Amino acid sequence: PAHDLKQGFEWGEFRHEQGWTPTRFAAFRNVDCLAACSVLTRTVPGLGAIGYAPRGPLFHASEPAGLEALVRELGRFGRRANAVLVRLSPGIRMDDEAANRALGSLGLVELAEPWTTWNTPRYVQVLHLGPDEKALLGGVRRRVREYIASAPRRGLVIEASDRDEDLVAFHSLMVNVGRIKGFPVRDLAYYRTLVAHYRAYYRPERMLLS
């Protein structure tokens, strides 16, 4: 239920080009997949290997046996890889009592709140795009609604694109905003690699570049 693109095959291949090694695990009962996890591993000089499962594992709280078998295998994998840790970061809601109970029964060590600097944030806001435009606008701050409403008057046009020059222009905008707001921006090669891995699976007419 708590699926995430960072547990997808393409994300593992994308991160592989940045020095991480993806390893995929799954627990089955006959033909039914009960739990799955993609783990990224990297060696840190002077420390050893670290394993990280961004937004994993994926599991059904109603099938605790599958999750237990999966976590047990992840522990074996960590020992084989001489990992100093295997970090799990499931994307479950804090109020999902069944899922949290299933994880809590496995003897995992829960990290303190500040441990979010090198991985997926603990708190993520999700905006579902199913409702109509009026309902979606009602869910954002007034200032943001004003920005959106004024965009057409300022000449902003949104169109589908798979051109590299548009990606370069997008990255330039990101760099400028990052400089103004004081946050880091990944280099252009990162975005080019990201697009290259996902372009084959998502047609250009589905990619909106503003």
Side-chain angles (χ1 to χ4, degrees):
H3 61 276
D4 192 280
L5 69 87
K6 290 186 177 180
Q7 280 293 298
F9 180 84
E10 298 86 0
W11 185 260
E13 296 302 293
F14 169 55
R15 296 295 279 167
H16 182 56
E17 294 196 20
Q18 299 171 332
W20 295 83
T21 300
T23 308
R24 286 91 176 189
F25 300 86
F28 285 87
R29 178 187 293 131
N30 298 323
V31 297
D32 297 323
C33 183
L34 306 182
C37 191
S38 175
V39 180
L40 304 173
T41 311
R42 188 170 191 167
T43 299
V44 178
L47 180 64
I50 58 173
Y52 177 42
R55 284 300 181 249
L58 309 177
F59 63 95
H60 296 284
S62 59
E63 296 285 358
L67 176 62
E68 181 179 358
L70 184 73
V71 170
R72 189 166 54 246
E73 186 58 34
L74 293 178
R76 295 194 187 103
F77 167 75
R79 289 187 288 273
R80 290 195 303 270
N82 294 319
V84 295
L85 62 88
V86 176
R87 175 74 187 273
L88 306 181
S89 180
I92 59 176
R93 293 171 56 96
M94 296 181 67
D95 60 358
D96 188 340
E97 296 180 0
N100 281 287
R101 216 171 22 246
L103 286 170
S105 67
L106 299 176
L108 301 173
V109 177
E110 184 175 1
L111 296 179
E113 295 290 341
W115 282 73
T116 59
T117 56
W118 64 282
N119 65 341
T120 304
R122 182 179 294 250
Y123 301 105
V124 177
Q125 183 177 1
V126 178
L127 179 64
H128 293 284
L129 301 180
D132 58 34
E133 184 175 327
K134 183 178 180 180
L136 288 174
L137 289 174
V140 300
R141 290 182 297 135
R142 178 180 176 182
R143 178 61 62 86
V144 175
R145 290 200 301 271
E146 292 173 351
Y147 287 153
I148 295 173
S150 67
R153 297 193 300 270
R154 295 168 180 260
L156 177 67
V157 177
I158 299 176
E159 61 181 10
S161 174
D162 64 349
R163 299 185 297 270
D164 184 69
E165 55 266 33
D166 288 332
L167 184 62
V168 173
F170 169 78
H171 181 259
S172 178
L173 288 173
M174 289 289 292
V175 170
N176 288 335
V177 173
R179 185 180 299 114
I180 294 171
K181 298 291 186 179
F183 61 80
V185 177
R186 296 182 184 274
D187 60 22
L188 180 59
Y190 175 93
Y191 289 95
R192 279 178 168 153
T193 304
L194 185 66
V195 169
H197 278 289
Y198 284 92
R199 178 176 286 151
Y201 301 92
Y202 299 96
R203 295 194 301 272
E205 57 268 24
R206 295 181 180 176
M207 299 171 60
L208 293 182
L209 185 63
S210 61

